[in-house]
Amino acid sequence: MAIGRSSSSGSSAAKAAVKKALGEMGFNSSGGAINWFPGHMAAATRAIRDRLKVSDLIIEVRDSRIPLSSVNADLQPHLSKKRRVIALNKKDLANPNVMHKWTHYFDSRNQDCLPINAHSKSSVKKLLDLVEVKLKEVISREPTLLVIVVGVPNVGKSALINSIHRIASSRFPVQEKIKRATVGPLPGVTQDIAGFKITHHPSIYVLDTPGVLVPSIPDIETGLKLALAGWLLVVKDSVVGEERIAQYLLAVLNTRGTPLHWKHSNNRRMEGIRYEPEEKHDYNLKDLRPKKKPPNVSDVVYIEDMVTEVQGALYFSLSEFNGDVENENDLECLIEQQFEALQKALRIPHKALEARIMVSKKFLTLFRTGKLVPFILDDVPEVNTAS
């Protein structure tokens, strides 16, 4: 058996296989197969830039699974000039063993970063505590401080704002009645900007901004990472193609050798898998249920069994594979075998119409809800330790 492996999601074989499958699909606003940058997005981007000018600190929300791919590159020059905290949301879906490498990476760049779960009150409180610490240096100069939250759609920015609202309402109950306090009296801030007061001395307000799509994506792989993380739900998976996204996920898992780590997963305790993920997402696990479920089997057990079978199918297909996953053609053959194995594991009839799409949808749901494996798609950049 000659299985070549790479720790990087950007292996040449994976890139080649993906590019061959997708052709030259255009991930941009000016043409190609995907056009997702409507006119109002440009206006929203301009409005955000104006708000950034009067802000004292920025909370930039990113997806923990794609810490670099989930940025709005157009806004980065403006954000880098401001006092900023990067909130890596959906940490429950990210591999904790890799997450600490990302925090180290941001630390090495003197950038404050905090992995969070936007639905966890304690997690959001830690973020707000960090914000207060970062603002201490300007408190003596400004009686009223402004914090602005930015992020592309589907990174959990709205969930974070809702959690901040609940915390703010508990501290200042009067805000509960008006839902979102208007911050018009602040100099340079228009009356229609809504925000929440989180501290009184000094007065610190947290303001929301529209989630703005990036006008263009630099390459196919970045586009697929965004699609795999669910970012393209703003557009719909079908625009890229569920099968194409699933193929990319299999390419990444295989080149990293991830299924080989599942050898002993069949023995894990039942408590290890919960029916509801720690963080709420847009993907519904009900989609995994069959029309006829075996009698006397709970949803929890059914999903657990499905995960075990899927992991087993991918483990055995990779461990018994005699090719080289770093070879484009070999990798394609392996992925074809795995689609057949997944169809059996997911109990989809071979004669079913659109069986490949059904396999892809269920496979992607398992990944996106964190049932399959906690994972980070972006590779940690090398840190230059030279003095």
Side-chain angles (χ1 to χ4, degrees):
M1 178 173 65
I3 300 178
R5 301 185 190 92
S6 169
S7 61
S8 168
S9 65
S11 74
S12 58
K15 286 183 178 179
V18 167
K19 195 166 185 178
K20 183 176 181 180
L22 296 182
E24 296 297 332
M25 176 174 284
F27 283 92
N28 56 65
S29 60
S30 58
I34 299 178
N35 185 347
W36 55 48
F37 197 71
H40 72 274
M41 287 290 177
T45 300
R46 289 193 295 270
I48 291 174
R49 288 173 181 167
D50 289 339
R51 296 181 191 185
L52 292 177
K53 295 175 183 177
V54 298
S55 66
D56 297 290
L57 184 141
I58 307 297
I59 297 177
E60 183 188 1
V61 187
R62 301 186 188 181
D63 189 320
S64 286
R65 297 166 296 175
I66 43 176
L68 292 183
S69 298
S70 58
V71 306
N72 185 323
D74 283 7
L75 289 178
Q76 289 307 304
H78 304 275
L79 299 179
S80 62
K81 297 176 183 177
K82 306 292 293 189
R83 193 176 287 102
R84 173 175 57 166
V85 172
I86 294 177
L88 294 177
N89 191 29
K90 306 184 183 183
K91 69 174 185 177
D92 56 306
L93 300 183
N95 185 336
N97 296 324
V98 181
M99 194 76 263
H100 81 274
K101 296 180 181 179
W102 274 104
T103 56
H104 174 70
Y105 165 75
F106 285 113
D107 286 344
S108 70
R109 297 175 64 87
N110 297 317
Q111 172 59 63
D112 290 284
C113 165
L114 186 68
I116 69 165
N117 177 347
H119 291 280
S120 166
K121 185 176 180 180
S122 61
S123 184
V124 175
K125 277 188 173 182
K126 287 181 181 178
L127 176 62
L128 295 181
D129 288 343
L130 177 57
V131 166
E132 290 187 47
V133 169
K134 293 298 296 179
L135 287 175
K136 278 185 177 179
E137 56 194 78
V138 294
I139 283 176
S140 60
R141 302 195 302 270
E142 298 289 342
T144 303
L145 302 173
L146 186 62
V147 177
I148 294 182
V149 182
V150 300
V152 299
N154 212 44
V155 292
K157 187 172 68 70
S158 295
L160 176 59
I161 286 293
N162 289 336
S163 293
I164 292 175
H165 178 205
R166 287 191 291 270
I167 294 172
S169 297
S170 66
R171 294 177 178 177
F172 303 96
V174 67
Q175 296 189 96
E176 186 65 30
K177 297 178 182 179
I178 58 178
K179 296 296 183 183
R180 307 180 79 190
T182 299
V183 195
L186 292 176
V189 182
T190 58
Q191 293 284 339
D192 62 345
I193 297 179
F196 312 121
K197 187 176 184 179
I198 61 170
T199 66
H200 188 59
H201 295 294
S203 294
I204 299 178
Y205 289 88
V206 176
L207 273 63
D208 192 8
T209 60
V212 179
L213 300 166
V214 291
S216 63
I217 294 175
D219 54 69
I220 288 176
E221 189 173 18
T222 299
L224 283 167
K225 288 177 182 178
L226 290 167
L228 184 51
W231 184 81
L232 290 183
L233 284 183
V234 179
V235 182
K236 286 185 181 178
D237 276 344
S238 57
V239 174
V240 178
E242 292 90 347
E243 186 177 338
R244 286 168 169 171
I245 303 172
Q247 286 174 330
Y248 174 69
L249 174 56
L250 287 171
V252 172
L253 293 175
N254 289 324
T255 54
R256 291 192 184 184
T258 302
L260 299 180
H261 301 154
W262 295 334
K263 182 176 182 180
H264 304 293
S265 64
N266 290 353
N267 298 323
R268 64 187 166 183
R269 296 177 301 170
M270 171 79 81
E271 304 76 60
I273 295 286
R274 301 183 181 88
Y275 174 62
E276 290 294 342
E278 182 182 350
E279 182 173 354
K280 299 176 183 177
H281 301 285
D282 295 325
Y283 319 104
N284 197 334
L285 289 173
K286 292 180 181 178
D287 296 337
L288 296 172
R289 299 175 185 170
K291 292 182 178 178
K292 292 184 179 180
K293 188 177 62 178
N296 302 320
V297 175
S298 69
D299 289 329
V300 176
V301 174
Y302 185 83
I303 299 296
E304 165 71 10
D305 288 346
M306 181 182 293
V307 170
T308 298
E309 290 186 32
V310 167
Q311 289 185 338
L314 296 183
Y315 165 73
F316 285 112
S317 61
L318 180 57
S319 62
E320 297 174 359
F321 183 60
N322 291 320
D324 183 355
V325 294
E326 290 299 321
N327 178 281
E328 175 188 343
N329 294 325
D330 286 356
L331 181 59
E332 287 183 18
C333 291
L334 173 60
I335 290 174
E336 282 300 309
Q337 294 175 19
Q338 289 176 327
F339 260 101
E340 294 181 10
L342 286 173
Q343 187 169 348
K344 294 179 182 178
L346 293 169
R347 303 160 196 175
I348 296 174
H350 282 270
K351 294 182 180 180
L353 294 175
E354 301 180 335
R356 298 264 296 199
I357 293 179
M358 294 171 65
V359 169
S360 300
K361 286 182 176 180
K362 290 196 172 187
F363 184 50
L364 292 175
T365 296
L366 285 176
F367 176 80
R368 288 168 171 169
T369 53
K371 296 299 182 185
L372 183 65
V373 60
F375 208 79
I376 296 181
L377 293 163
D378 281 341
D379 296 315
V380 183
E382 292 186 6
V383 176
N384 185 3
T385 57
S387 56

